[in-house]
Amino acid sequence: MTARIYLSPPDIGPAEEAAVLRALRSGWVAPLGPEVDAFEREVAEYTGRSHAVALSSGTAALHLALLAWGVGPGDIVITASMTFAATANAIAYTGAEPVFVDCDRTGNIDVELLAQALSDQRTRGRRVAAIIPVDLLGKVANYEAIASLAREQGVPVLSDAAESLGARRHGRPAGSFGEAAIVSFNGNKVMTTSGGGMLLTDDGALAARARYLATQARQPVIHYEHTDVGYNYRLSNLLAALGRAQLGRLDAMIELRRATRRRYRDLFATTPGVTIFGAPDGADSDGPTRDNFWLTSILVDSEAAGWSSANLQQYLAIHGIEARPLWKPMHLQPVFAGAVAYTNGTGSDLFARGLSLPSGSVHNDATFARIADCIGDFLHRRTEAKGAQ
Ligand SMILES: Cc1ncc(COP(=O)(O)O)c(C=O)c1O
């Protein structure tokens, strides 16, 4: 049987094996330890931040940043509607209300709509406690515009860079924007610790507060003394060792994803109705603004193409190839049905037309050849069917 091809599987090799073995043999199997300290230093340096707190997930990092800022019941947190549920869930954990803002054609938060949301919420007398822009599929959001709006209103920005580690905007690395940012090391991301995340900031007090809350809010005394409700959110030493090995290969793994983006671009170059999502000319280069090529997605105009993104997804699935729609916007999710949302129809359009294709750095030439053959067959059948009509 031919192996199933996944969207973005972990890319693990001898460097990772050696790193985990090193950590195991060092005796630091208990949570925390020198690998965690080194991993934090290395990710802070990679993203140009002064402080990094290694955590059990990106979701935990979002949650702790909000808690450390004192976000809670009665507050509003404005975030992108076009995101994975984790962003909105973290807001809900604090008891604050998520307010969703739709995206522009890049898939990232629409800054004009964000301005409208901020002024509307202020008019209603609501406290906006934070803004969480999301770097969708590895494309860094427009933080210059977001920061100027946030500054006007005195609201801190928490950048959800879960998907964008390794991307840049005007030369600045993803994770360096906002008063704080989070990244994810989930198994499907550009690099992984199997599960994990990090909070990044230049604010030492915020980092210290997050660290404290992440370790059950233990007071620094010999007996167990607690004055706050804490969480068990820290990353283990073994997983940090895995992360360090992955970080050492990150730029090379991103190059492989970039090569895959180019292959898809060539593959669909003459296909009517298909565009590569969110990658204007130049964005595929190694320029000062570039995404991290986490996922290559296509947008299908079904009238021009004669088929829909769902048709292709189903055809690939039958042949053991995973492809997925873009995130279903949060304002369309039943769980957030009651939430306030500022919409323009773009997120729902991208959801209807977008399809992410296998993009992992682990995919080799043979894997891509299988994907290209399968897509080629699909396009051929569709052309023939159209001709027969
Ligand atoms: C945009 C976004 N935010 C947050 C998360 C949460 O990260 P984690 O899975 O590490 O909790 C993810 C991915 O999983 C994500 O894609």
Side-chain angles (χ1 to χ4, degrees):
M1 229 187 89
T2 36
R4 191 166 149 74
I5 298 175
Y6 292 97
L7 202 62
S8 181
D11 182 348
I12 300 297
E16 286 75 11
E17 281 179 25
V20 174
L21 204 57
R22 175 187 72 222
L24 268 172
R25 287 183 175 157
S26 75
W28 284 94
V29 174
L32 300 175
E35 300 283 351
V36 173
D37 298 341
F39 189 37
E40 288 179 341
R41 275 196 308 274
E42 288 163 7
V43 176
E45 191 183 341
Y46 188 86
T47 55
R49 287 291 200 178
S50 316
H51 304 278
V53 184
L55 298 163
S56 54
S57 68
T59 312
L62 287 165
H63 186 195
L64 286 187
L66 294 175
L67 287 178
W69 281 337
V71 176
D75 290 336
I76 294 280
V77 175
I78 298 184
T79 191
S81 183
M82 196 66 182
T83 186
F84 178 56
T87 322
N89 285 342
I91 299 168
Y93 300 163
T94 67
E97 241 179 82
V99 164
F100 299 114
V101 173
D102 214 332
C103 58
D104 60 24
R105 300 307 306 171
T106 67
N108 285 331
I109 199 162
D110 180 322
V111 288
E112 280 178 25
L113 219 47
L114 173 62
Q116 194 186 319
L118 279 164
S119 93
D120 189 44
Q121 289 301 319
R122 196 158 68 166
T123 310
R124 290 166 190 235
R126 302 299 305 268
R127 177 177 112 97
V128 178
I131 301 170
I132 312 184
V134 178
D135 298 344
L136 189 78
L137 306 186
K139 294 161 190 67
V140 183
N142 179 356
Y143 288 99
E144 300 82 46
I146 294 165
S148 102
L149 289 172
R151 253 195 313 270
E152 268 170 33
Q153 312 255 349
V155 180
V157 172
L158 173 58
S159 160
D160 183 340
E163 302 173 2
S164 63
L165 186 64
R168 293 195 285 262
R169 182 175 170 89
H170 304 318
R172 271 184 68 178
S176 70
F177 297 92
E179 276 68 27
I182 72 97
V183 291
S184 165
F185 307 123
N186 187 295
N188 66 359
K189 296 297 189 291
V190 285
M191 63 165 269
T192 186
T193 56
S194 138
M198 220 174 260
L199 176 64
L200 304 162
T201 183
D202 299 319
D203 178 348
L206 172 66
R209 179 80 185 159
R211 227 177 264 285
Y212 159 76
L213 290 173
T215 39
Q216 303 287 19
R218 279 171 59 180
Q219 293 295 327
V221 289
I222 187 70
H223 65 276
Y224 290 90
E225 180 87 4
H226 304 270
T227 52
D228 291 288
V229 172
Y231 300 81
N232 184 7
Y233 271 175
R234 290 291 262 149
L235 189 71
S236 88
N237 201 54
L238 294 186
L239 299 186
L242 174 57
R244 293 183 68 200
Q246 288 266 281
L247 187 64
R249 295 177 50 227
L250 179 58
D251 291 341
M253 291 193 291
I254 287 174
E255 282 309 302
L256 292 167
R257 285 181 193 259
R258 188 216 309 254
T260 300
R261 169 77 52 88
R262 291 212 179 103
R263 287 167 144 171
Y264 282 120
R265 195 182 275 291
D266 292 345
L267 186 65
F268 288 107
T270 56
T271 309
V274 176
T275 49
I276 303 288
F277 170 57
D281 287 345
D284 293 4
S285 72
D286 192 20
T289 297
R290 68 143 210 217
D291 72 58
N292 67 354
F293 314 100
W294 175 44
L295 295 180
T296 293
S297 316
I298 54 170
L299 295 180
V300 181
D301 174 345
S302 51
E303 264 185 38
W307 48 274
S308 68
S309 58
N311 294 145
L312 177 58
Q313 182 272 322
Q314 283 150 17
Y315 189 84
L316 291 170
I318 291 166
H319 293 87
I321 299 172
E322 184 184 28
R324 280 179 184 268
L326 305 188
W327 302 128
K328 180 174 181 178
M330 289 304 114
H331 70 271
L332 302 178
Q333 296 286 357
V335 63
F336 295 116
V340 175
Y342 298 83
T343 60
N344 56 19
T346 309
S348 52
D349 178 58
L350 293 176
F351 173 57
R353 298 200 295 119
L355 188 68
S356 297
L357 300 167
S359 307
S361 49
V362 79
H363 296 323
N364 57 23
D365 289 352
T367 313
F368 192 81
R370 217 180 108 198
I371 298 166
D373 280 352
C374 192
I375 292 175
D377 285 346
F378 170 83
L379 295 175
H380 184 66
R381 281 162 190 258
R382 287 283 158 174
T383 314
E384 284 204 327
K386 213 172 167 184
Q389 273 170 13

